[in-house]
């Protein structure tokens, strides 16, 4: 593979050398060393000596975009934005759906492979270098690219030689492989690295959710810890075996770490420069109606002759420039594109969401439903709606995430995943927004209530008796249920009361002891265990005899009253004396 890569480098030597010089210049112009977060910057991130390329690579060492991040701050400015058509000066805006895919992949990997420490900014850096963030975010509501993004065929002609491995299933080429999709996987790598990132049951390299998750797993293999520079080097080099590629990805990684913002889908900036210095050989979307025969690769055509270039001797003199068809300075009219479904959304409406309430630790029985509508109130299908749990709460969506993205159905309705209540009680806010469209969000309120039990019962029926000044032989054990189900983690209070009609704490009779051995007749802060059981501490008796009441209460109305008896031990009467015989 190293030899194959060498052939690719020879073809693009000029562009790569320029990129390397630009990287060096950028290193000198920015402050080197450790940044504010203690990370090693790309200027100091010289790959460790042991960081070497793997036997293969995710992309087959295909060409990549070599544009460098700008020197200006990545913080977005209200006065700046992408130029018409999505081209122009590179900036930190990442298309909404693409950014969502990167962050979702990071969240998934944080749970699946916590030791990897994958930052979403690394996926953004690779996505920027490989495909210009899916060609500026030209994806549909499900995250699939509008047009396929294909690298050049790897036929050994200036690139690696990788003969067809998928019978053209992914790249449409049955002779040689081509890198596919926004993260530029070659088919042979996708066959084992592919993932389903959007839950549609398919592993599609052309889908940014699938591709981003696959890239995350690929970078996290071999138990690499990406917080360690040497292992981060290895991971990036395994994606594309080039030190220039490593340095470039590190530049974009640090740039995105300093700040990035969301822009509407389809408006992201497009890169200009490629490592192979050939427009026909770079990752580019296929054009409807144009076909490329299997085994062939589009190549750059001859450059047009400049109007004022003289012909060679014997060619008949010089050419005369033709007058322009439009006056100089007249701006060209950019091609118009039909609006996407997302472009037509004017607002979000509640789609019949009922009252949302659940006890701490339980799943909410109802789910949030939101409808995307046009200004005229017409439903809009195939629009991505992002649901975000905001505020200080430990309530999450099923699976432990606090963000979920769902596409609207044919009725324009997106149904959020079920909510899972945490232990913090109170009101939880879930905000619905349209991915890639700046329309007001819609807030939903959900209430998390205290865990409760509506029924308490003793687990045994042994008599609870004690002699004055003694200790009750049996401890009181209860089981709590709520609507017939085990009620675990329910707070309970045990009180020795004066009578059935008077819940006032008694000042005599049975009692508990605190940690210091002092008498207490009210215990609070008790909780049922995972089986709904609650075993009270030992009870003691003073010298007062009689029948006493112990009352246990819980949130939700669960109440149980238990009788306690304190009585002196019965003494046996002496047997009658024998009468003397006469």
């Amino acid at each position: 593979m190293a030899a194959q890569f060498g052939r690719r480098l020879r073809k693009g030597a000029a562009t790569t050398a320029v990129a390397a010089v630009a990287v060096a210049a950028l290193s000198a112009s920015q402050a080197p060393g450790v940044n504010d977060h203690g990370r090693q910057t790309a200027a100091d991130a010289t790959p460790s000596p042991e960081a070497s390329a793997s036997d293969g690579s995710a992309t087959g060492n295909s060409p990549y975009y070599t544009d460098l991040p700008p020197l200006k701050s990545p913080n977005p400015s209200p006065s700046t934005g992408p130029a018409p058509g999505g081209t122009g000066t590179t900036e930190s805006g990442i298309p909404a759906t693409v950014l969502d895919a990167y962050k979702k992949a990071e969240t998934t990997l944080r749970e699946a492979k916590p030791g990897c420490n994958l930052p979403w900014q690394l996926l953004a850096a690779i996505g920027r270098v490989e495909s210009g963030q899916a060609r500026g975010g030209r994806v549909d509501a499900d995250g699939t690219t509008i047009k396929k993004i294909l690298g050049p065929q790897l036929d050994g002609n200036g690139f690696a030689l990788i003969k067809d491995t998928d019978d053209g299933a992914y790249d449409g080429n049955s002779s040689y492989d081509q890198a596919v999709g926004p993260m530029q996987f070659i088919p042979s790598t996708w066959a084992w690295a592919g993932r389903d990132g959007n839950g549609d049951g398919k592993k599609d390299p052309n889908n940014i959710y699938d591709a981003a998750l696959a890239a995350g797993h690929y970078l996290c293999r071999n138990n690499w810890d990406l917080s360690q520079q040497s292992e981060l080097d290895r991971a990036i080099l395994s994606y594309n075996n080039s030190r220039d590629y490593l340095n470039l990805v590190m530049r974009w990684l640090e740039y995105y770490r300093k700040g990035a913002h969301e822009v509407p889908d389809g408006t992201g900036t497009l890169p200009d420069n490629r490592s192979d210095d050939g427009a026909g050989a770079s990752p580019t979307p296929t054009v409807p109606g144009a076909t490329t025969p299997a085994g062939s690769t589009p190549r750059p055509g001859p450059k047009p002759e400049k109007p004022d270039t003289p012909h060679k001797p014997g060619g008949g003199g010089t050419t005369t420039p033709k007058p322009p068809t439009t006056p100089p300075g007249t701006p060209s009219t950019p091609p118009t594109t039909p609006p996407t479904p997302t472009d037509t959304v004017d607002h979000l409406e509640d789609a019949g969401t009922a009252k949302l309430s659940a006890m701490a630790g339980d799943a909410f029985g109802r789910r949030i439903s939101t409808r995307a509508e046009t200004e005229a109130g017409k439903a809009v299908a195939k629009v991505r709606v992002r649901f975000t749990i905001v505020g200080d709460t430990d309530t999450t969506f099923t699976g432990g995430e606090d963000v979920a993205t769902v596409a609207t159905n044919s009725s324009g309705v997106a149904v959020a995943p079920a909510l899972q209540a945490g232990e913090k009680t109170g009101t939880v806010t879930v905000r619905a927004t349209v991915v890639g469209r700046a329309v007001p969000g819609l807030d939903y309120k959900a209430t998390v209530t205290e865990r409760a039990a509506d029924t308490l019962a003793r687990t045994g029926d042994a008599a609870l008796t004690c002699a004055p000044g003694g200790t009750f032989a049996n401890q009181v054990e209860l089981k709590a249920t709520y609507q017939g189900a085990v009620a675990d983690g329910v707070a309970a209070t045990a009180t020795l009361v004066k009578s059935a009609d008077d819940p006032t704490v008694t000042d005599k009779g049975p009692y508990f002891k605190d940690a210091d051995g002092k008498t207490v007749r009210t215990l609070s802060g008790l909780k049922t265990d995972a089986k709904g059981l609650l075993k009270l501490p030992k009870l003691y008796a003073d010298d007062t005899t009689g029948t006493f009441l112990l009352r246990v209460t819980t949130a939700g109305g669960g109440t149980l009253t238990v009788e306690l008896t304190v009585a002196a031990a019965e003494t046996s009467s002496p047997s009658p004396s024998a009468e003397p015989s006469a």
Side-chain angles (χ1 to χ4, degrees), residues 3-5 7-8 11 60-63 152-162 276 281-282 297 299:
Q4 297 163 354
F5 180 61
R7 290 194 294 272
R8 182 179 69 81
K11 179 173 181 179
N61 296 324
S62 292
Q153 66 176 15
L154 301 175
D155 57 5
N157 184 16
F159 308 109
L161 173 60
I162 304 179
D276 65 335
S282 63
T297 303
R299 301 293 182 189

Side-chain angles (χ1 to χ4, degrees), residues 114-185:
C116 177
N117 296 304
L118 171 81
W120 67 261
Q121 292 91 340
L122 176 59
L123 297 177
I126 290 176
R128 179 62 175 72
V129 169
E130 292 294 345
S131 69
Q133 311 298 18
R135 298 292 293 172
R138 286 160 176 78
V139 296
D140 64 16
D142 296 321
T144 303
T145 57
I146 302 298
K147 301 174 183 176
K148 284 188 176 181
I149 302 174
L150 296 175
Q153 66 176 15
L154 301 175
D155 57 5
N157 184 16
F159 308 109
L161 173 60
I162 304 179
K163 292 188 176 181
D164 176 63
T165 61
D166 66 331
D167 197 25
Y170 293 118
D171 54 16
N173 189 334
S174 58
S175 297
Y176 300 95
D177 272 352
Q178 296 174 248
V180 182
M183 302 304 278
Q184 287 290 281
F185 278 96

Side-chain angles (χ1 to χ4, degrees), residues 28 42 82 114 247 355 372 379 409 458 528 545 562:
N247 292 335
K355 181 179 180 180
N409 59 21
R458 282 191 64 193
T528 60
T545 60
V562 181

Side-chain angles (χ1 to χ4, degrees), residues 113 115-116 217-226 231:
K113 296 183 178 181
C116 177
H217 276 281
Y218 185 90
L219 294 165
C220 286
R221 72 195 193 286
N222 299 330
N223 294 318
W224 281 328
D225 178 359
L226 303 186
E231 298 189 12

Side-chain angles (χ1 to χ4, degrees), residues 137-463:
R138 286 160 176 78
V139 296
D140 64 16
D142 296 321
T144 303
T145 57
I146 302 298
K147 301 174 183 176
K148 284 188 176 181
I149 302 174
L150 296 175
Q153 66 176 15
L154 301 175
D155 57 5
N157 184 16
F159 308 109
L161 173 60
I162 304 179
K163 292 188 176 181
D164 176 63
T165 61
D166 66 331
D167 197 25
Y170 293 118
D171 54 16
N173 189 334
S174 58
S175 297
Y176 300 95
D177 272 352
Q178 296 174 248
V180 182
M183 302 304 278
Q184 287 290 281
F185 278 96
I186 55 174
S188 57
T189 302
W190 184 262
W192 61 265
R195 294 293 191 278
D196 176 15
N198 61 351
D200 64 357
K202 297 183 295 183
K203 299 176 182 178
D204 183 1
N206 301 295
N207 182 278
I208 186 59
Y209 286 93
D210 295 359
L213 183 58
H217 276 281
Y218 185 90
L219 294 165
C220 286
R221 72 195 193 286
N222 299 330
N223 294 318
W224 281 328
D225 178 359
L226 303 186
S227 66
Q228 302 297 317
Q229 186 64 52
S230 61
E231 298 189 12
L232 176 60
D233 291 347
R234 290 191 183 94
I236 297 173
L237 283 171
S238 77
Y239 210 89
N240 192 311
N241 181 13
S242 163
R243 294 304 174 111
D244 290 334
Y245 181 88
L246 167 60
N247 292 335
L248 184 60
V249 169
M250 283 298 302
R251 283 291 172 196
W252 280 106
L253 170 59
E254 290 303 321
Y255 182 72
Y256 286 134
R257 274 174 167 164
K258 294 175 183 176
H261 65 284
E262 178 183 293
V263 298
D265 290 344
T267 66
T269 58
L270 301 181
D272 296 318
N273 305 303
R274 290 168 284 269
S275 62
D276 65 335
D277 197 25
S282 63
T284 181
T286 57
V287 180
T291 59
T292 301
S296 65
T297 303
R299 301 293 182 189
K303 294 183 179 180
E305 195 173 54
K306 295 181 180 180
D308 58 350
T309 301
H311 284 286
K312 294 180 180 179
T318 61
T319 59
T320 302
K322 293 182 179 180
T325 56
T326 57
T330 301
S332 59
T333 303
T336 59
T337 56
T340 66
T342 301
D343 295 333
T344 67
V345 177
D346 176 75
H347 60 274
L348 294 174
E349 288 286 343
D350 177 40
T353 303
K355 181 179 180 180
L356 299 168
S357 180
M359 284 196 300
D362 288 353
F364 282 74
R366 298 182 180 275
R367 296 162 68 178
I368 295 172
S369 297
T370 300
R371 183 171 55 253
E373 296 183 353
T374 65
E375 185 176 6
K378 183 179 179 181
V380 184
K382 296 183 178 181
V383 171
R384 298 193 70 80
V385 175
R386 179 183 296 134
F387 298 95
T388 305
I389 300 172
V390 297
D392 182 17
T393 179
D394 54 357
T395 292
T396 64
F397 292 112
T398 302
E401 298 183 5
D402 56 10
V403 177
T405 307
V406 182
T408 57
N409 59 21
S410 58
S411 300
V413 175
V415 181
L419 286 166
Q420 177 68 40
E423 294 302 320
K424 292 182 179 179
T425 59
T427 301
V428 176
T429 300
V430 180
R431 182 165 299 148
T433 55
V434 178
V435 175
R437 180 76 170 163
V439 298
L442 186 61
D443 285 354
Y444 293 84
K445 302 297 182 182
T447 302
V448 179
T449 61
E450 186 179 3
R451 291 174 181 256
D454 54 17
T455 304
L456 295 174
R458 282 191 64 193
T459 58
D461 56 4

